[in-house]
Amino acid sequence: MYRADATRYEKMQYRKTGQSGLKLPLLSLGLWQNFGDYDPISKQREILRGAFDLGITHFDLANNYGGPAGAAEINFGRLFKEDFQSYRDELIISSKAGYHMWEGPYGEWGSRKSIIASCDQSLQRMGLDYVDIFYHHRPDPDTPLEETAEALMQLVRQGKTLYIGISNYNGADTKAMTEILRKKDAPFVIHQMRYNMFSRELLEDDLAPVLAEEGLGAITYSPLAQGLLTNRYLHGIPEDSRAHRKEIPFLSEDQVAPTLKKISQLQEIAESRDQTLAQMALAWNLRQKSVTSVLVGASRLSQLQESVKMMDHLEFSTEEEKQIETIL
């Protein structure tokens, strides 16, 4: 029987999400990859238990996560029932709807039909009565924002989610959605977006002013740029890397090659800070005022154990920021 580490809350720092009362750990665990049917359930259990023992209280999922789609929620539901049910009130569990999940016109995007059905399916797969945060995963160009907003609000009224979030929206659509949801007294508190040293524009140039003005928090995914901001590519492109494997669409050798010099230069700064490149990259995300938490995936518990050490050195000197900006 699993018993959580009694000192878990001494190991993690927590931040408020925007102007809400919801606090999230600085590091959250994303179950996008490594939690499907192709991954041993024993390893998934080790990662989830280890994460919670480190004070990571937020587990982030979506309807289509895993491999095949839905598998991550099913596997999480099994492990939740076996290990975490007694800790439910200590956990923030999130899920999302918006990307393709089932055939036909209702299996993706942002219609009321799609969002309500998707949330019901996710709750069933995980064996939960509610999630803490439910996101619309991407903007839908063919559905009015008002309809999507009302669907999310219906989930709140039905007790299926405590908070509302959106993901991958631009600044204008985020502001418009905020105005609609505020009129409904919605608990809309968070935006999830890609953000890392090599992918900065959406947050820094577009979303940051809106988040500040509207009192929303941000949670960032892909903080390590699919492994680029680790020691994986310091000596070139490994044969077994994601960039070398053509079946993985998120990285390619053409994308990676121009960054290799920058990675090496960033590594030098990380070493001067007594950090790994990955730890510095995570801390770099958290220097943004709007960022509440950084989402990381893990194929091994040791990766999480190394990642949380970024909290030992979160601050950046003015000179360090200048050096990083020059490199980027």
Side-chain angles (χ1 to χ4, degrees):
M1 179 180 176
Y2 169 61
R3 293 180 183 270
D5 189 326
T7 66
R8 59 193 177 278
Y9 293 116
E10 300 170 17
K11 303 176 183 180
M12 180 55 61
Q13 298 177 35
Y14 302 85
R15 281 185 183 176
K16 286 183 62 176
T17 306
Q19 294 178 1
S20 76
L22 177 65
K23 292 182 179 180
L24 295 179
L26 295 190
L27 204 67
S28 297
L29 179 62
L31 278 65
W32 174 31
Q33 299 171 329
N34 307 313
F35 283 84
D37 287 349
Y38 315 118
D39 306 285
I41 197 72
S42 59
K43 182 172 287 189
Q44 297 179 43
R45 185 190 306 276
E46 180 186 24
I47 293 171
L48 286 174
R49 285 181 174 183
F52 191 51
D53 285 342
L54 290 168
I56 296 174
T57 54
H58 178 26
F59 299 149
D60 179 76
L61 298 103
N63 57 353
N64 64 331
Y65 285 2
E73 289 184 329
I74 292 171
N75 290 334
F76 174 78
R78 170 185 166 179
L79 295 171
F80 172 82
K81 181 178 180 181
E82 294 174 359
D83 288 345
F84 295 99
Q85 204 153 19
S86 63
Y87 298 105
R88 177 64 183 97
D89 292 336
E90 297 183 44
L91 296 175
I92 300 297
I93 302 169
S94 61
S95 192
K96 314 175 190 72
Y99 281 96
H100 184 267
M101 187 60 191
W102 66 90
E103 296 304 312
Y106 320 119
E108 60 182 327
W109 296 111
S111 71
R112 185 171 186 153
K113 168 69 173 177
S114 178
I115 288 176
I116 300 299
S118 182
C119 182
D120 287 343
Q121 291 175 19
S122 290
L123 292 175
Q124 184 176 21
R125 280 190 290 270
M126 292 187 285
L128 299 176
D129 296 324
Y130 71 96
V131 291
D132 298 274
I133 307 171
F134 195 80
Y135 292 89
H136 186 220
H137 209 162
R138 60 172 173 171
D140 180 353
D142 296 322
T143 298
L145 288 176
E146 290 80 3
E147 179 176 341
T148 300
E150 178 55 30
L152 294 168
M153 193 59 199
Q154 180 175 326
L155 296 176
V156 174
R157 297 190 192 104
Q158 292 175 336
K160 295 175 181 177
T161 187
L162 303 184
Y163 297 95
I164 290 169
I166 59 175
S167 181
N168 300 311
Y169 277 58
N170 64 27
D173 286 343
T174 297
K175 188 170 182 61
M177 180 63 98
T178 304
E179 291 173 355
I180 295 167
L181 286 168
R182 289 284 185 262
K183 292 177 181 178
K184 300 176 183 293
D185 295 323
F188 174 40
V189 299
I190 195 165
H191 190 303
Q192 184 174 138
M193 80 290 292
R194 178 190 300 273
Y195 182 63
N196 59 61
M197 288 179 168
F198 296 140
S199 182
R200 306 169 59 185
E201 292 78 12
L202 178 60
L203 177 57
E204 293 184 11
D205 298 341
D206 189 21
L207 278 169
V210 177
L211 299 178
E213 181 180 348
E214 302 297 343
L216 298 172
I219 182 167
T220 58
Y221 67 85
S222 194
L224 303 181
Q226 294 294 317
L228 278 180
L229 292 165
T230 68
N231 61 8
R232 191 90 167 96
Y233 295 89
L234 287 177
H235 306 291
I237 302 174
E239 289 291 324
D240 62 343
S241 67
R242 291 177 177 175
H244 192 71
R245 293 160 57 190
K246 292 181 170 53
E247 71 272 18
I248 297 181
F250 308 106
L251 284 179
S252 69
E253 292 191 22
D254 290 341
Q255 290 173 305
V256 171
T259 69
L260 294 179
K261 182 179 179 181
K262 294 180 180 181
I263 292 169
S264 179
Q265 293 172 323
L266 291 168
Q267 169 70 11
E268 292 180 7
I269 298 176
E271 289 177 354
S272 72
R273 289 167 52 86
D274 293 322
Q275 288 183 314
T276 65
L277 177 55
Q279 289 164 355
M280 184 178 78
L282 295 172
W284 189 86
N285 267 235
L286 288 161
R287 89 199 195 292
Q288 283 282 347
K289 291 182 179 179
S290 60
V291 174
T292 303
S293 182
V294 181
L295 270 171
V296 295
S299 58
R300 301 183 306 277
L301 176 56
S302 59
Q303 293 173 328
L304 281 181
Q305 293 168 332
E306 282 299 308
S307 292
V308 297
K309 293 178 183 177
M310 57 95 180
M311 293 188 299
D312 295 339
H313 198 167
L314 288 173
E315 302 299 322
F316 288 82
S317 69
T318 302
E319 182 59 28
E320 287 171 337
E321 291 199 349
K322 287 180 179 178
Q323 290 174 343
I324 291 172
E325 190 64 31
T326 298
I327 294 169
L328 298 179

